[in-house]
């Protein structure tokens, strides 16, 4: 096992796993999905999903990973060599590549916006000028491809260096800095004129808007944000040492992740309503509004670049975890070298990323696909970032609850702690509540 690598400390695991969880999902995807789905009601369903559906799955994945010490394919194979369970692992490996392919496009935007912020493009900006900058930026297809390639290369580079040297060191220092700037932005945003309208949109639920689509998207967002349903947390769990207290570690991870997403909403919506933008503006929402907030902050010239730099790094700690799943698979199961695996998978991901990079105006056809009437990036996010993760999480819960059996999982979980107060609730959740709700929600949307 030692040769696979391990985290150096308990804090190291919490920070690395939080680094995976906290990323564009919190600061880009959560606000725009909330805006698209009508605001506060979505937030409420999201919070319930995190606690009731996602958190039990998080503990299930991490314990499965630590017990088996393997990537998702290896973990399922080891516990159930016969039967189709290993295909659940393969689904995770493929999902990792597919999510990374478009996630890296948005991560490329954060790098592009860092450069714009440094070169003073965001001074004295109103919302119309900001929208114009964004439109020009995303439809410049050469630039989009370049940024995508840069980001994938960065990810490959860190992953090729290995688990604790690369991933852990990054997460340790930078997450607290990002948090600091978010607080600053929050204070500015909620004190803007007409911020109250944004707060109302964000906090006052309209129960008439409750639809299967809202519930499905909220649940999908919970899995996406906590990096669940594709074996990331199985893989990260496999690097955790036995003495560690898993319930407390996973509780902290979910808490940090949710806290940062909720904060991002407090930054985005007051500002959106203050300048009269449409909260349902889609994937560009955050990139349209943030430069406007920075141009209204004293010292925005400094904080703007710093923020986009930190957001790029938050994205990087998530892309690393996306790539780590397929890479761990090729290392463990195919005996490839880490470097070889990282570069080859990275190259394939880059190819899959091309249509997403061209889909925000760069190439007409990818920007509005026939039949589905959405952009390639939106379609990929729906298929892989929502449906595949939900299906994966469903089968992980079934596997841990019924096949490996929750009593065995509990033995693994309690290795680092004698008193796991929520053991009974967790067992009920992972066997019944989580899988039943996921199934009902998926079916209610499809039927
Ligand atoms: N959780 C990451 C985010 O919120 O940005 C994205 C992500 C990483 C999703 C790893 C899934 C995953 F396996």
């Amino acid at each position: 096992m030692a040769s696979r690598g391990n985290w150096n400390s308990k804090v190291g695991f919490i920070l690395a796993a939080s680094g995976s969880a906290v990323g564009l999902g919190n600061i880009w995807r959560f606000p725009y999905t909330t805006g698209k789905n009508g605001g506060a009601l979505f937030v409420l369903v999201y919070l319930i999903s995190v606690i009731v559906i996602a958190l039990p799955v998080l503990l299930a994945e991490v314990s499965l990973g630590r017990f088996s010490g393997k990537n998702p394919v290896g973990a399922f194979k080891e516990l159930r060599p016969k039967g189709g369970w290993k295909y659940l692992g393969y689904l995770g490996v493929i999902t990792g590549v597919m999510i990374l392919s478009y996630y890296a496009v948005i991560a490329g935007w954060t790098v592009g916006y860092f450069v714009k912020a440094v070169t003073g493009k965001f001074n004295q900006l109103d919302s119309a000028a900001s929208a114009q900058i964004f439109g020009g930026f995303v439809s410049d297809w050469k630039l989009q491809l370049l940024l995508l390639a840069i980001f994938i290369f960065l990810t490959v580079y860190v992953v090729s260096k290995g688990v604790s040297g690369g991933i852990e060191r990054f997460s340790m220092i930078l997450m607290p800095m990002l948090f600091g700037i978010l607080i600053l932005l929050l204070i500015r945003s909620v004190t803007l004129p007409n911020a109250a309208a944004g707060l109302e949109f964000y906090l006052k639920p309209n129960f008439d808007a409750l639809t299967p689509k809202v519930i499905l998207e909220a649940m999908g967002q919970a899995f996406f944000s906590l990096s669940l349903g594709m074996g990331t947390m199985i893989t990260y769990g496999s690097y955790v040492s036995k003495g560690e207290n898993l319930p407390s570690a996973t509780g902290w991870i979910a808490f940090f992740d949710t806290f940062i997403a909720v904060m991002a909403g407090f930054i985005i919506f007051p500002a959106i309503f203050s300048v009269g933008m449409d909260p349902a503006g889609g994937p560009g929402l955050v990139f349209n509004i943030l430069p406007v907030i920075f141009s209204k902050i004293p010292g925005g010239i400094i904080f703007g670049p710093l923020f986009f730099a930190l957001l790029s790094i938050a994205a990087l700690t998530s892309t690393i975890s996306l790539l780590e799943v397929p890479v761990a698979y090729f290392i463990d199961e195919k005996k490839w070298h880490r470097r070889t695996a990282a570069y080859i998978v990275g190259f394939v991901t880059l190819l899959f990323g091309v249509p997403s990079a061209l889909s925000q105006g760069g190439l007409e056809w990818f920007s509005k696909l026939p039949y589905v009437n959405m952009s390639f990036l939106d379609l990929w996010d729906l298929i892989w970032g929502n449906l595949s993760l939900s299906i994966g999480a469903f089968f992980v819960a079934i596997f841990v609850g019924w096949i490996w059996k929750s009593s065995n999982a509990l033995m693994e979980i309690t290795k680092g702690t004698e008193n796991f107060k929520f053991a009974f609730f967790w067992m009920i959740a992972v066997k019944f509540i989580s899988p039943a709700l996921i199934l009902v929600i998926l079916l209610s949307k499809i039927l």
Side-chain angles (χ1 to χ4, degrees):
M1 261 264 299
S3 63
R4 293 179 77 249
N6 263 305
W7 308 116
N8 287 328
S9 61
K10 166 166 180 170
V11 182
F13 167 63
I14 294 184
L15 280 175
S18 305
S20 165
V22 176
L24 297 172
N26 308 61
I27 289 162
W28 160 73
R29 197 178 192 268
F30 175 75
Y32 102 76
T33 315
T34 302
K36 200 175 71 173
N37 285 295
L41 180 73
F42 176 89
V43 179
L44 186 66
V45 182
Y46 171 72
L47 293 176
I48 296 172
S49 305
V50 167
I51 296 169
V52 179
I53 308 179
L55 190 54
V57 175
L58 175 60
L59 188 52
E61 283 204 19
V62 176
S63 61
L64 183 59
R66 185 172 71 174
F67 178 79
S68 65
K70 293 262 168 64
N71 70 87
V73 176
F76 292 119
K77 257 199 211 160
E78 173 158 317
L79 287 163
R80 282 293 171 278
K82 298 215 176 65
W85 284 103
K86 61 174 181 288
Y87 294 105
L88 183 55
Y90 290 130
L91 180 67
V93 169
I94 296 170
T95 304
V97 171
M98 295 308 176
I99 294 183
L100 180 57
S101 78
Y102 68 85
Y103 194 97
V105 172
I106 313 296
W109 294 0
T110 64
V111 175
Y113 264 50
F114 165 71
V115 175
K116 282 191 196 298
V118 170
T119 51
K121 296 282 187 309
F122 296 151
N123 297 343
Q124 304 301 327
L125 210 62
D126 62 13
S127 56
S130 173
Q132 203 173 18
I133 291 183
F134 180 74
F137 172 69
V138 289
S139 53
D140 180 347
W141 64 270
K142 283 187 208 138
L143 180 61
Q144 290 299 314
L145 290 180
L146 178 70
L147 290 171
L148 168 69
I150 290 177
F151 213 89
I152 291 194
F153 175 75
L154 282 175
T155 309
V156 165
Y157 180 76
V158 179
V159 169
S160 72
K161 295 278 168 217
V163 174
S164 97
I167 304 173
E168 202 172 337
R169 218 173 34 214
F170 265 120
S171 312
M172 283 281 211
I173 323 161
L174 298 156
M175 301 256 300
M177 278 175 77
L178 179 66
F179 190 72
I181 300 203
L182 287 175
I183 292 187
L184 188 83
L185 286 171
L186 190 148
I187 294 170
R188 175 66 271 208
S189 191
V190 297
T191 51
L192 286 171
N194 203 27
L199 290 175
E200 189 176 326
F201 176 83
Y202 190 48
L203 297 176
K204 208 167 138 206
N206 163 18
F207 288 93
D208 298 341
L210 195 67
T211 61
K213 176 173 169 284
V214 169
I215 301 177
L216 176 70
E217 297 216 350
M219 178 180 75
Q221 175 63 25
F223 293 139
F224 188 93
S225 196
L226 284 172
S227 306
L228 295 174
M230 53 160 275
T232 304
M233 290 300 176
I234 300 180
T235 311
Y236 271 32
S238 74
Y239 307 125
V240 181
S241 65
K242 295 286 179 197
E244 208 151 289
N245 182 336
L246 295 186
S248 122
T250 49
W252 279 111
I253 294 163
F255 175 75
F256 284 144
D257 185 66
T258 309
F259 197 79
I260 298 223
V262 170
M263 266 178 94
F266 274 110
I267 295 168
I268 302 300
F269 292 109
I272 292 272
F273 279 77
S274 176
V275 299
M277 263 166 62
D278 177 11
L285 188 72
V286 175
F287 289 86
N288 276 306
I289 195 67
L290 280 170
V292 181
I293 311 180
F294 280 117
S295 75
K296 289 183 193 295
I297 275 190
I301 300 187
I302 296 161
F303 291 122
L306 194 56
F307 173 81
F308 285 109
L310 290 169
L311 186 56
S312 307
I313 292 161
L316 185 63
T317 54
S318 300
T319 55
I320 288 166
S321 73
L322 285 162
L323 184 62
E324 181 65 21
V325 173
V327 165
Y329 162 72
F330 284 111
I331 295 174
D332 291 348
E333 307 302 312
K334 303 286 168 202
K335 308 285 171 246
W336 289 12
H337 289 297
R338 180 168 270 281
R339 243 178 85 89
T340 319
Y343 278 90
I344 292 183
V345 179
F347 182 70
V348 172
T349 309
L350 176 62
L351 297 181
F352 276 107
V354 169
S356 289
L358 304 183
S359 76
Q360 301 298 303
L363 203 74
E364 186 88 31
W365 198 80
F366 287 129
S367 307
K368 208 162 187 69
L369 294 171
Y371 303 114
V372 287
N373 233 349
M374 53 172 98
S375 75
F376 188 91
L377 193 149
D378 286 333
L379 178 69
W380 235 224
D381 186 43
L382 173 67
I383 296 176
W384 303 103
N386 190 332
L387 297 180
S388 178
L389 294 184
S390 304
I391 293 168
F394 170 78
F395 282 110
V396 165
I398 296 285
F399 184 85
V400 171
W402 298 93
I403 309 292
W404 181 31
K405 294 217 168 29
S406 48
S407 48
N408 288 323
L410 270 176
M411 262 162 33
E412 179 61 36
I413 290 168
T414 48
K415 266 185 193 142
T417 166
E418 261 79 72
N419 66 343
F420 172 28
K421 281 191 275 262
F422 300 106
F424 182 71
F425 169 75
W426 177 78
M427 226 168 70
I428 301 292
V430 86
K431 281 175 96 118
F432 303 103
I433 304 176
S434 260
L437 287 177
I438 300 172
L439 195 65
V440 169
I441 293 168
L442 277 173
L443 291 179
S444 69
K445 180 67 181 53
I446 296 166
L447 301 178

